Amino acid sequence: MSLRLVLGLVGMLLACIGADINQEATTLALADIRGAFGYSVDQGSWFTTLYSIGAAMGMLVAPWLAMTFSVRRFAAVAAVSLGLLGLACATTESRSLLLMLRWCQGLTTGFLIPLLMMVALRFLTPALKLFGLAAYGLTATFAPNIAMPVVAWAHHGLGIGFVFWAVLPLCLTAAGLILHGLPQDPLRLERWQQFDWLGWGLGWALCASIVTLFTQGERLDWLHSPLIRGLALATLVVLPLFLWRCAFGPNPLIRPQLLGRINFGFGVCMLVGVITLSASSASLPAEFLAEVQGYRPLQSLPVTLAVALPPLLILPFAAFVLNFERIDSRWIMASGLLLMAAASWSNSHVTLAWMREQFYIAQVVFAIGQSMVVVGLLMTATAVVDPMEGPFASATINTSRALAGPLASGLIGHYLAVAIDRHAHGLMERLGTMRFSLMQSAPLSGHGREALSWPTGGPGGGALLQLHERIDAQATVLAYADAWRLLALMALLLVPLCLLPKRTHAPRFNRPRPI
């Protein structure tokens, strides 16, 4: 493989990493963005929702558009557009325009990430194909967790606009490498004459419904909101129509028939599960430290780096190991899930005294397990796909990935809210039954009894407020511990599924495809 092609692949990877950094950095700095632009909490929630909608829409149609305009030209335009949109977001003063720009940024992000998988599968030799899939795995492991330094630098003098335009130099560099290194395919504009406009419309409606449903559900109280009820109904109606159109319509965006192949169907389902585990477990420690200990993003940076940096070594090492004929990818995936379960279970012992130092080992173990699973499932899923089916497989895998993130954050966020409320009521009920006993023992223990008495003004109100804050903090700790136990159980339940797919070998062995 020539050095020029390597540079093109590096440019494609840099563009995808820049897109993920932009997405996560703006999410982490959302409170500062709301303050800078005067958004309310409700308005600011759409800032994230619109980006996620755009990303899912882009991933669905990116392979089709890349085949029409050529991967080289389409990827370069998408990378430059992402950088320029970031610059526009940093300079605009209109709140409505900013929301529209964020949707466009999400769309360009969705355009870029599926192309990395297409490029790796198409241009890499069989001996290097697994390493290309490992590079794609960086977009799900390394890139989303390395955005914290951007937010930290923005907080230390560069301004909140840096969160938006920091991606510009990276995108321009990536576009230059892509134009220099990737081969130029001919334009195939005649494909527009057979384009499935109905399938496109159904697919985009489905993406918008699912993402909005799970990102806005908790804020709008789920089915108590007419909007959420309408979105849930729309999802139930549009999903079968979209799958039917893609299965039997002309020139579809995806091929649902691929899911009938046990290895590919397993890969897509396992990817959704792993993204759910990763989106939850990777972010929960930072959220816990922010809510319970009052950490700022810079203080949580070491915890985030403990998840972000190990994949840089583990992903290529896992690809190297899987290139041996005796190594079974199913056991690699099972071992990785066990490591993820162990890390989540370790974090479930969290207490009020935990600081960032207590999370380091579990975060590293989780990152190692996650990297092992990602490389194994990508190898298993892509082994049953013909080269001509690559764009359909890329659209299916990446769209599922784009929808898994909002789904995971919505469900885990709802679970935490319910768990915190349940534990707070339990603690208050327990305290109420023991109130008089505690009041009698207060002089012996050296504590004041004001918080245990009904407030009558004066110091009693302040003591009761302090008691409420302590109960709320303890309920939050118990809720996070429950969430980590749930994630550990989920990882363990995924382990037996690793036995479902058929044995696959690395591409360099040129074995028959296990259909």
Side-chain angles (χ1 to χ4, degrees):
M1 190 172 66
S2 65
L3 177 61
R4 185 170 182 174
L5 183 56
V6 171
L7 291 177
L9 293 173
V10 170
M12 197 70 249
L13 177 60
L14 289 178
C16 294
I17 290 176
D20 280 326
I21 288 176
N22 178 263
Q23 177 181 4
E24 294 301 320
T26 49
T27 300
L28 292 169
L30 183 57
D32 300 287
I33 293 172
R34 289 202 312 260
F37 287 89
Y39 284 122
S40 64
V41 175
D42 292 341
Q43 292 171 330
S45 66
W46 287 101
F47 186 82
T48 302
T49 297
L50 288 173
Y51 190 99
S52 299
I53 291 174
M57 290 177 172
M59 290 185 185
L60 180 63
V61 301
W64 192 95
L65 293 174
M67 293 176 63
T68 303
F69 295 107
S70 85
V71 174
R72 178 175 179 264
R73 184 182 291 108
F74 184 64
V77 171
V80 172
S81 300
L82 178 63
L84 294 179
L85 286 169
L87 185 62
C89 289
T91 55
T92 186
E93 296 182 357
S94 170
R95 290 182 292 182
S96 301
L97 180 59
L98 180 62
L99 290 176
M100 186 184 71
L101 291 173
R102 281 303 288 171
W103 177 82
C104 293
Q105 272 198 315
L107 195 65
T108 53
T109 297
F111 287 159
L112 286 169
I113 292 178
L115 301 186
L116 179 58
M117 176 180 286
M118 290 180 60
V119 168
L121 293 175
R122 177 180 173 186
F123 295 115
L124 289 180
T125 61
L128 297 176
K129 196 161 290 186
L130 269 183
F131 293 96
L133 294 177
Y136 170 80
L138 289 174
T139 64
T141 55
F142 167 76
N145 296 307
I146 202 63
M148 189 72 78
V150 175
V151 181
W153 292 332
H155 286 167
H156 283 72
L158 295 178
I160 196 61
F162 178 73
V163 172
F164 294 107
W165 64 260
V167 73
L168 179 60
L170 193 61
C171 288
L172 295 179
T173 302
L177 292 174
I178 290 170
L179 291 173
H180 173 73
L182 293 186
Q184 177 63 59
D185 296 328
L187 284 173
R188 300 175 59 187
L189 298 180
E190 69 279 1
R191 286 167 52 85
W192 285 105
Q193 298 176 2
Q194 294 129 11
F195 183 67
D196 186 7
W197 292 101
L198 178 59
W200 186 326
L202 290 173
W204 275 26
L206 181 64
C207 292
S209 298
I210 293 178
V211 173
T212 307
L213 174 64
F214 287 100
T215 55
Q216 297 291 327
E218 181 62 28
R219 183 180 69 85
L220 298 176
D221 200 16
W222 296 100
L223 294 180
H224 291 92
S225 166
L227 175 62
I228 298 301
R229 289 198 301 268
L231 290 172
L233 179 61
T235 300
L236 294 176
V237 172
V238 174
L239 178 58
L241 291 177
F242 174 68
L243 294 178
W244 177 84
R245 182 66 180 179
C246 289
F248 302 104
N251 204 8
L253 296 173
I254 65 171
R255 282 186 181 166
Q257 294 90 335
L258 291 176
L259 296 174
R261 302 175 186 176
I262 183 65
N263 282 41
F264 187 80
F266 162 82
V268 172
C269 294
M270 181 63 74
L271 181 64
V272 172
V274 171
I275 292 297
T276 301
L277 288 171
S278 304
S280 304
S281 291
S283 61
L284 285 182
E287 293 175 5
F288 170 85
L289 292 172
E291 290 189 28
V292 178
Q293 307 296 354
Y295 273 36
R296 296 290 292 166
L298 182 61
Q299 295 172 298
S300 300
L301 178 60
V303 179
T304 307
L305 292 179
V307 178
L309 297 182
L312 290 174
L313 297 176
I314 303 303
L315 283 171
F317 179 74
F320 172 77
V321 171
L322 286 171
N323 264 310
F324 289 95
E325 189 172 8
R326 292 184 177 181
I327 303 300
D328 192 335
S329 62
R330 296 174 296 182
W331 296 109
I332 296 293
M333 288 186 287
S335 301
L337 287 170
L338 290 175
L339 290 177
M340 295 170 72
S344 298
W345 186 258
S346 174
N347 286 337
S348 69
H349 296 87
V350 65
T351 67
L352 275 173
W354 275 40
M355 299 292 181
R356 63 188 181 191
E357 291 78 12
Q358 281 72 37
F359 288 103
Y360 289 153
I361 296 178
Q363 293 293 86
V364 172
V365 171
F366 184 88
I368 293 173
Q370 179 189 26
S371 302
M372 294 168 61
V373 177
V374 167
V375 177
L377 71 88
L378 288 175
M379 171 182 162
T380 301
T382 57
V384 299
V385 177
D386 287 327
M388 295 300 295
E389 297 171 330
F392 302 107
S394 179
T396 303
I397 290 175
N398 286 283
T399 304
S400 300
R401 167 190 165 178
L403 297 177
L407 186 148
S409 61
L411 293 181
I412 293 296
H414 176 67
Y415 178 83
L416 284 174
V418 172
I420 290 173
D421 186 67
R422 183 181 72 250
H423 285 298
H425 278 81
L427 291 172
M428 289 297 295
E429 183 178 357
R430 181 68 172 169
L431 182 63
T433 58
M434 300 177 61
R435 183 166 66 91
F436 294 106
S437 299
L438 292 172
M439 289 178 62
Q440 293 174 358
S441 63
L444 299 176
S445 61
H447 294 86
R449 65 175 70 188
E450 292 88 352
L452 301 172
S453 305
W454 301 118
T456 56
L464 191 62
L465 177 62
Q466 185 179 18
L467 177 64
H468 169 73
E469 292 174 350
R470 293 192 177 186
I471 289 177
D472 184 66
Q474 188 62 57
T476 302
V477 172
L478 294 174
Y480 273 90
D482 288 347
W484 271 306
R485 292 189 191 98
L486 179 64
L487 294 171
L489 177 62
M490 179 180 173
L492 291 176
L493 292 176
L494 291 176
V495 172
L497 299 182
C498 295
L499 301 176
L500 292 178
K502 298 179 182 180
R503 171 74 188 276
T504 56
H505 295 82
R508 72 186 185 94
F509 295 113
N510 197 24
R511 296 291 183 86
R513 294 187 295 112
I515 300 300

